Amino acid sequence: MLTRFYNWILERAPGLNGMARKHLTEYYAPKNFNLWYYFGTCNLLVLANQIVTGIFLAMNYSPTAAGAFDSVEYIMRDVEWGWLIRYMHSTGASLFFVTVFLHMFRGIMYGSFKRPRELVWILGVLIFVVLMAEAFMGYVLPWGQMSFWGAKVIISLFGTIPVIGHALVEWIMGDYLPANATLNRFFALHVIAMPLVLLLLVVLHILALHEVGSNNPDGVEIKKGPKGNRWDALKPADGIPFHPYYTGHDIFAAAFFLTVAAFIVFFAPTFGGWFLEHDNFIPANNLVTPLHIKPVWYFTPFYAILRTFPSFLGTTIWGVLAMFGAILLLALLPWIDRGEVRSVRYRGVGFRVALGVLVCSFLGLGLVGAGVTAEVTPAWFPGADVTTLENVFGRSMVTGYFGFFIFLWLYTRLGLERPRPVPERVKAHA
């Protein structure tokens, strides 16, 4: 019966069979994928979770300043399994950024942004930007203290734009302060517009990837070297069909990932205030400012760039430009890095050291943006000026982050890199 139903579908939509072959059974991926390549699948898994849980949350949410916080409490306390759906959504948001950050790091480490995959990389950066916008709007919706003040601080950044800044802030808010109009438009964008754009970019990202083929830890194309075998001379010798080989691996990775996510959801859904901040369990009050206004953890590196970047000529617009420039540089990476070798396995010592500096700088910026450095400074340096030390540390991390791109441009443009010999074919998986 299933066979007859399948044949009935194919008679009326024959293109589906060709699509499945192109993107699954006849899509040849390198045979040496490792652990780093699981995070792309985890991204799709979390995206599906966010869409499904978001639909159920939207059914009981009230996008008004008077009812938003109470509707979230109603979901948590009175809706059947509402607490579980809400925690799955909030935990999923943080895990989404965990997997995206690791996925992007793998791309930088193995040179997945290099020719001919520049478009794949740019689409990935656009996904990251849209995801940040989606997460920010979702962060505002619970309408707790950090939601309100976070919205006020972030939207006020547009006020640094000369001439039109203040008018632009009022236009985005729909009021002089975040209020009903802000919640309504953020709710509409969060549940309709941004998810549609995100899904479109994800589809384009995957289609673009399958046109040029996947990179691998060796950074060598699978069509390079001896081709084919005695069964089919057209098949790449160093590639294997994505299905059933890697789909089986991905199912195992997804099961492990879901197990870790379940432990967080059931035993530590707030993750010590990192995933859900304590101040956000207090209703929004525009007359009471929280002691420390800071964004959720996945925004903290970019928030730290904004905070610690020195003002110039009495304006903070340079900090805003630096914050957005930190993301723009990621999109320009294919043209910044002109090295011929892709993978970190065979790149020069300078690149490996610079990559380590980039990672340490990004993590350090996250600590500064989250206020951790301000909390530990009095204990580690009694009597020291907390603000001065935090600025010194933060600016050194900013220098390390932007220095990576400057160094990479000079390192590869001036021919200073001395890479190791690259193998002709990809090495077999251990």
Side-chain angles (χ1 to χ4, degrees), residues 43 46-47 50 92-93 96-101 124-138 190 194 198 201 298-299:
N43 287 334
V46 179
L47 177 60
Q50 295 304 95
F96 208 164
F97 277 93
V98 170
T99 56
V100 165
F101 284 141
V125 174
L126 288 175
I127 290 172
F128 179 58
V129 172
V130 173
L131 183 61
M132 291 180 73
E134 171 78 347
F136 168 66
M137 293 172 188
H190 182 73
M194 291 293 109
L198 192 59
L201 289 173
Y298 38 79
F299 292 139

Side-chain angles (χ1 to χ4, degrees), residues 112-115 117-119 121-122 125 328-339 408 413:
S112 298
F113 55 86
K114 289 181 174 290
R115 181 184 177 94
R117 299 179 180 86
E118 298 97 332
L119 181 60
W121 176 258
I122 292 172
V125 174
L328 178 62
L329 284 174
L330 291 172
L332 298 177
L333 198 54
W335 295 274
I336 293 174
D337 183 3
R338 307 305 295 177
L408 197 57
R413 289 274 179 173

Side-chain angles (χ1 to χ4, degrees), residues 24-37:
L24 290 173
T25 58
E26 293 182 5
Y27 174 66
Y28 282 80
K31 63 183 180 182
N32 62 338
F33 278 173
N34 57 20
L35 178 68
W36 287 103
Y37 287 82

Side-chain angles (χ1 to χ4, degrees), residues 160-218:
T160 60
I161 300 175
V163 183
I164 64 170
H166 294 293
L168 185 61
V169 169
E170 292 178 12
W171 179 75
I172 293 173
M173 288 186 184
D175 207 328
Y176 297 107
L177 288 174
N180 277 332
T182 315
L183 270 179
N184 271 288
R185 58 190 59 182
F186 275 26
F187 178 70
L189 291 170
H190 182 73
V191 302
I192 300 174
M194 291 293 109
L196 289 176
V197 175
L198 192 59
L199 285 172
L200 174 62
L201 289 173
V202 167
V203 170
L204 292 176
H205 184 66
I206 295 173
L207 291 178
L209 174 66
H210 285 198
E211 285 296 322
V212 296
S214 299
N215 190 30
N216 62 82
D218 285 324

